[in-house]
Amino acid sequence: MIRTVLLWALVLAVGAFGLQWLEYRFLVRAFSWQVYVGLIGVAFAAGGVWIGWKLAARARPETFARNEAALASLGLTGQEVKVLERLAAGRSNKEIARDLGLSPNTVKTHVGNLYGKLDVSRRTQAVGKARELALIP
């Protein structure tokens, strides 16, 4: 019984393979250059997506460890670090003042102190240098 089932399974498999082969041969004759162009296009698209995925993927650290030595050497106060974190978040002086319960003039003073301690002249430079020194995430 098993031998008969295996024999018929083999016959059916060979028949299905033959039909698929004939269908493929028909498609290649009917659409010869379109098939190749399509396959090449799909291969390039898949390769581009894969390369883009690999280039864009960045390993992010799970935990942020603040560089305490840099904080101490620059002499940054806790309030200045809080202001710096909010600068990195893109907040304005008024928003920072509201968040921290300070006056806008005090925030301006802290920002000016940060510029001097980090040796920069703009907010973007301050945030970039702070990230390089691992002062903020």
Side-chain angles (χ1 to χ4, degrees), residues 87-134:
L87 281 178
R91 303 225 177 207
S92 68
N93 286 353
K94 286 184 181 180
E95 291 172 328
I96 295 170
R98 197 174 327 125
D99 287 350
L100 298 177
L102 303 171
S103 74
N105 287 334
T106 305
V107 172
K108 275 201 282 195
T109 302
H110 286 311
V111 170
N113 291 341
L114 284 169
Y115 288 174
K117 290 178 181 179
L118 293 172
D119 193 29
V120 295
S121 58
R122 292 187 303 236
R123 286 177 181 245
T124 54
Q125 290 174 337
V127 171
K129 190 157 186 181
R131 286 199 173 124
E132 284 176 18
L133 297 172

Side-chain angles (χ1 to χ4, degrees), residues 16-85:
F17 177 76
L19 288 173
Q20 288 294 322
W21 183 76
L22 286 174
E23 183 181 4
Y24 170 75
R25 297 287 295 173
F26 170 74
L27 285 176
V28 168
R29 278 195 207 126
F31 305 107
S32 62
W33 68 274
Q34 291 99 337
V35 170
Y36 294 117
V37 168
L39 289 175
I40 290 170
V42 167
F44 273 97
V49 168
W50 180 77
I51 288 172
W53 186 272
K54 290 295 182 181
L55 290 176
R58 295 182 185 158
R60 295 185 179 204
E62 294 180 16
T63 59
F64 172 71
R66 182 164 282 147
N67 187 350
E68 297 296 332
L71 276 176
S73 69
L74 291 172
L76 293 178
T77 64
Q79 197 74 339
E80 288 171 344
V81 172
K82 289 178 186 177
V83 169
L84 186 59
E85 288 171 346

